[in-house]
Amino acid sequence: MMHRMDRSVYMDYAATTPVDPRVTDAMLPYLTEHFGNPNSLYTLGRDAYRALESARESIAAGVGAQPQELVFTGCGTESDNSALIGISQMAAERKSRRHIVVSAFEHHAVLHPAEWLAKNGFDLTIVSPRADGVVHPGDLRAALRDDTALVSVMAANNEIGTIQPLAELAEAAHERGALFHTDAVQALGKIPFDVSEVGVDAASFSAHKIYGPKGAGVLYLKKGTPFRPLLMGGGQEFKKRSGTQNVAGAVAFAKALELMLAEQADEAERLSALRDRVVGGVLDGIANTRLNGTGPKLPGYANLIMLGCEGESMLLQLDSKGIAVSTGSACSSGSLEPSHVLLAIGCPAEEAHGSLRVTLGRFTTDEDVDRFLEVLPPIVERLRSMNPLYERMYGA
Amino acid sequence: MMHRMDRSVYMDYAATTPVDPRVTDAMLPYLTEHFGNPNSLYTLGRDAYRALESARESIAAGVGAQPQELVFTGCGTESDNSALIGISQMAAERKSRRHIVVSAFEHHAVLHPAEWLAKNGFDLTIVSPRADGVVHPGDLRAALRDDTALVSVMAANNEIGTIQPLAELAEAAHERGALFHTDAVQALGKIPFDVSEVGVDAASFSAHKIYGPKGAGVLYLKKGTPFRPLLMGGGQEFKKRSGTQNVAGAVAFAKALELMLAEQADEAERLSALRDRVVGGVLDGIANTRLNGTGPKLPGYANLIMLGCEGESMLLQLDSKGIAVSTGSACSSGSLEPSHVLLAIGCPAEEAHGSLRVTLGRFTTDEDVDRFLEVLPPIVERLRSMNPLYERMYGA
Amino acid sequence: MYSEKVMEHFNNPHNVGVIEDADGVGEVGNPVCGDVMKITIKVDDDRLTDIKFQTLGCGAAIATSSIITEMARGKTLEDAARITKQEVADELGGLPPAKMHCSVLATDGLKVAIDDYLTQHGREPLGEPLISSDPNFDPHAETHDDACDL
Amino acid sequence: MYSEKVMEHFNNPHNVGVIEDADGVGEVGNPVCGDVMKITIKVDDDRLTDIKFQTLGCGAAIATSSIITEMARGKTLEDAARITKQEVADELGGLPPAKMHCSVLATDGLKVAIDDYLTQHGREPLGEPLISSDPNFDPHAETHDDACDL
Ligand SMILES: Cc1ncc(COP(=O)(O)O)c(C=O)c1O
Ligand SMILES: Cc1ncc(COP(=O)(O)O)c(C=O)c1O
């Protein structure tokens, strides 16, 4: 029997979030009473259709888009894949542009389709973020070509939380006639984000990062953006994504975003303060620790390095005390290479293995932070004492 | 103000179904308490992972597959697209087979990817079903070639409900070294269906047709079937479908299938009897009506032609009396061509415009059928009286 | 999908029927395409004094048929023949884009009936001659892409 | 993910530490790859009388280190050096496939320590020589595809 704490402390909001009870309440009727297919003509179907469309309007208003510019998808990954493949292939067909650019620390949902395109007729350039965790517009400019079809840089990084200068990046792309997509899965609702202000052509979102359900995504496609659908069939979603729409998921997404926006300013302040306590507590309280990424960050995000510890061990030890965090250590993923994000910002592999990603959210309390700061130091100490190299590498 | 009935009668179970309360109960905890990301290593994540995997095992047992042969997807359409494109492209790469065969009355989620493949390096042969609504194995044999990569024929048709001789069709494909996929979205749970008994290499399923939520699909891929993923990213689902898994959706799917299988025999009998009442009532009670598809059918499915009526009008009139059915008339879809399914089985266009699809399900009662049989005849009569050609074309 | 006014006219269409001693008759559409309209008119002093219709078709086809009889009654033949499909749609509070072709059925039907009256009286028809009984006649052909091409 | 036994050994690893007057020392792995193991042994009459380890690494790395000290203690050098990674994994109630390489760390570490003892005493080493201090040494290289290739 494992010794477990009564109180569990969730600090991995970047991985996923619980569905907010207000969101569950909003979506439930669309599973049960209002279960109609939104493509059906009778009352039950039209009710579902109206719910779907008002969810679309509400999300559109929330991100500064027109309702017809939003496509409901099955997840953030589908939004990313559709944007990368659908836009690039159509831009290639229409304008013979066959070059794409992505940043090195994109989520794999962007990187892998980009690599797939590179094997299927496209040239791919990968731009590195700098050590601050930011893709610098000048670096993007240097990567652009006259035949660049699409640039994809995320709005905020999922591991280190750094916010990207989207408006400048999009402008750089547009100067060369390229389209610009951003993976805004992590940024949505946490910081102001308006597609028309930043001037992106496409953006990806996912419900389960903002207290909505898993399996509900949105793709913003600016009017007129060349696109071919990834999923073909019944022609739903303005023929841009076939498949019976997940009405409950769409309603949930809209409600979740509405709550994020209503609470954004307060939450940003509250979570930044909590994050500062986490970071301060770790850096001041534990020797040989440091913070990754110096650029501006999403509220509540901290990526910390505990030199001489391995991430998965820390994670499991914290879990046995009821604390949930994640790590960029390779071992947690079953591969051997540590997080491509940390490597991309120049973090040496041996340090990246000792990373902890701590991401706070709606239900994080001061007591959670207290508990984390109480539990972590002895774990780090114990693991370091078991590390045959610790004294040699990091000893005083 | 529209005059509405208190009691509404849903007879479009083939379009979608309400989520069974037992399914809602099963899935809810995975939205709220057990919200972890199944790819996270800590307890909360492992709990979600276990739920996901036990859902997979349960569904696998239900369809005669191994758990690792099932991939959770975002909908039936995604399963179909993934199978058609993922298998064909990989089979082409590995075995230089560049020919595919699909039936003419497949769902568009199969037809459109097939047509897309035909524009992207493949030859496509379309096999017609016969007037009985069945694809005859001999007709498939005649379409096969030595370089056929994939054959896709649905397990049961969504508009006329006819059940296809899958085992013979799959055998015919295999004889020529081709792989066989079936869209079993409509058949699942309603008739015995076992992937290893029928010997298919791939099969598509969707939760919302079996009293589960919209936005949750499954793709069966027999071990060793060549495949490239449509959605690339985090490498979830054995690298066959990236994207954070919809754990609640998977749990719901498993529960929904469990209930379908437990009640299958009884429901088949009950729904067949109700369907016979519908069909008998219409054919006996209304002149110039007929039934589409003489082959064996899914329980509860009837596709009726009311000569001299247009489908959408009937549908809307029925709706104003609280009855929900669908039609294969073009006008309901915004295109002008009536249902490709009805045309494929040789139904003339002018008759197809007068089709009503009546599909009964778990919550259909005897009273529902009574009400339908009471309400329909005057509607048909009235519409015929407004049809300038009725007497000329169908008058006694 | 449909406006309230469309549903009103669909559920309770005005002027359904056939004028037995009509002065003009128009029949357009094609059952293969799923919609057929027959319109009969009474004319007095170049004004439409009565109009009746019969329509096989979808909700929009029936509603546009119904509303055009209301819009045209009392108008001169010339004014009535000038009613556009957009005016018909507007009068109904709009139509879904996919259904705009249905208002062509109504305006075409009316024009054919008026021209029938004019030619019967040895006068010049107002529109281009429409051959309503041709089974290959397609009133939609100009108005959208995916025309009925069976 | 991990079996109960793995978690037990991970949470309460046996024989952690360094034998100060060890008869043999083995150190394998590489911090760049995220796992390093150091093993110290006492030998009496060609039998392992004491073993201690220190490991930097994931849960599986620590658990396999812990269990191999238990498995090897009391065995002859030859028997101990013959413990396979599969035996280590089995003893723990199995390891996730992606973690199988961790049991190589443990078996290799033990072999290096035994060979260190043997060579110190002028005897033939049992295994192929492993150069544990080479920063490019990769104990995983043979065992799976996506090896640490930084
Ligand atoms: C036979 C068939 N295949 C595929 C689908 C598509 O499934 P989904 O709506 O889950 O995308 C449906 C239903 O819409 C169907 O009836
Ligand atoms: C930046 C980013 N993009 C894309 C995704 C994928 O979203 P989903 O899990 O909904 O497929 C995630 C999270 O998993 C993410 O953090």
Side-chain angles (χ1 to χ4, degrees), chain C residues 134-147:
Chain C
D134 177 354
N136 292 317
F137 168 74
D138 177 5
H140 317 308
E142 307 159 359
T143 50
H144 53 86
D145 294 338
D146 45 353

Side-chain angles (χ1 to χ4, degrees), chain A residues 312-313 331 336 353 386 392, chain D residues 2 27 32 55 57 99 144:
Chain A
E312 187 197 290
S313 297
C331 268
L336 282 167
H353 282 293
M386 285 175 62
R392 249 181 282 164
Chain D
Y2 287 134
E27 194 175 297
V32 173
T55 291
K99 296 290 189 177
H144 53 84

Side-chain angles (χ1 to χ4, degrees), chain D residues 4-60:
Chain D
E4 230 170 275
K5 188 124 185 229
V6 171
M7 287 309 292
E8 229 176 82
H9 275 270
F10 168 65
N11 283 317
N12 300 296
H14 305 187
N15 308 311
V16 175
V18 178
I19 302 173
E20 289 308 328
D21 55 344
D23 295 325
V25 179
E27 194 175 297
V28 292
N30 181 339
V32 173
C33 285
D35 45 14
V36 178
M37 183 199 194
K38 176 174 178 174
I39 200 160
T40 47
I41 53 174
K42 284 299 268 185
V43 181
D44 187 15
D45 196 15
D46 270 14
R47 247 170 228 282
L48 291 167
T49 54
D50 198 8
I51 314 184
K52 281 195 170 10
F53 81 94
Q54 282 188 317
T55 291
L56 161 71
C58 65

Side-chain angles (χ1 to χ4, degrees), chain A residues 12 159 310-316 325-340 342 352-357, chain B residues 38-42 46 234, chain D residues 1-2 33-35 57-60 96 98-99 101-102:
Chain A
D12 199 14
E159 286 192 38
E310 191 280 329
E312 187 197 290
S313 297
M314 284 191 282
L315 188 160
L316 292 174
V325 299
S326 73
T327 171
S329 176
C331 268
S332 70
S333 62
S335 95
L336 282 167
E337 261 188 69
S339 155
H340 70 286
L342 299 182
H353 282 293
S355 72
L356 277 191
R357 177 181 73 175
Chain B
N39 310 293
S40 296
L41 287 181
Y42 41 75
R46 292 202 308 270
Chain D
M1 183 185 65
Y2 287 134
C33 285
D35 45 14
C58 65
K99 296 290 189 177
H101 70 87
C102 295

